[in-house]
Amino acid sequence: MIRVLTLTAALAFAGAAAAQDPHAGHNMPAQAAAPQSGITTVPANGAMTQGSPERFSVTFPHAMILKTVTLTAEGQAPVEVTVPTAPTAATVSVPLPRLAPGTYTAAWTAEGLDGHKMSGSVSFMVH
């Protein structure tokens, strides 16, 4: 019983330390990093949209600059979305081209003012 309590306390401490690290999970895909680092996207991973989404947005736990967004769909050439130069922000967003019905992956990269980089991808379906 003592071992279980010690392991539980150690895991709780490790989880608290990771939660306080604003850079935790930066090299992980968005799907894996989201619960730990607070990254969310719109459309969300696994979303099914009614019609083409107008924008792609990423919310970070701290201010970042969105650098690239690339859309891919099976049987189609990748589409590099134009990412306008913008100041750092916790939520960044770019307009998307009109998307035909299908399944898409949006891969993104971002950079903080201190030079650290983040990247991820989400898949969503357009109906």
Side-chain angles (χ1 to χ4, degrees):
M1 184 66 153
I2 293 173
R3 288 184 190 170
V4 172
L5 293 175
T6 303
L7 178 59
T8 303
L11 289 174
F13 178 76
Q20 293 176 7
D21 180 2
H23 303 292
H26 281 201
N27 294 322
M28 298 170 59
Q31 303 91 307
Q36 296 159 340
S37 62
I39 297 170
T40 58
T41 62
V42 177
N45 191 47
M48 292 187 204
T49 66
Q50 294 300 318
S52 180
E54 293 183 15
R55 304 189 71 72
F56 177 76
S57 299
V58 184
T59 300
F60 302 102
H62 48 77
M64 298 289 288
I65 298 168
L66 189 62
K67 294 293 198 170
T68 64
V69 176
T70 304
L71 294 173
T72 55
E74 189 172 323
Q76 298 180 23
V79 175
E80 298 290 329
V81 177
T82 301
V83 178
T85 302
T88 60
T91 299
V92 291
S93 181
V94 294
L96 292 176
R98 185 139 183 84
L99 303 175
T103 301
Y104 293 85
T105 298
W108 55 267
T109 62
E111 188 173 319
L113 285 178
D114 62 358
H116 75 275
K117 296 179 179 160
M118 296 177 73
S119 63
S121 65
V122 295
S123 294
F124 60 94
M125 184 178 285
V126 175
H127 285 276

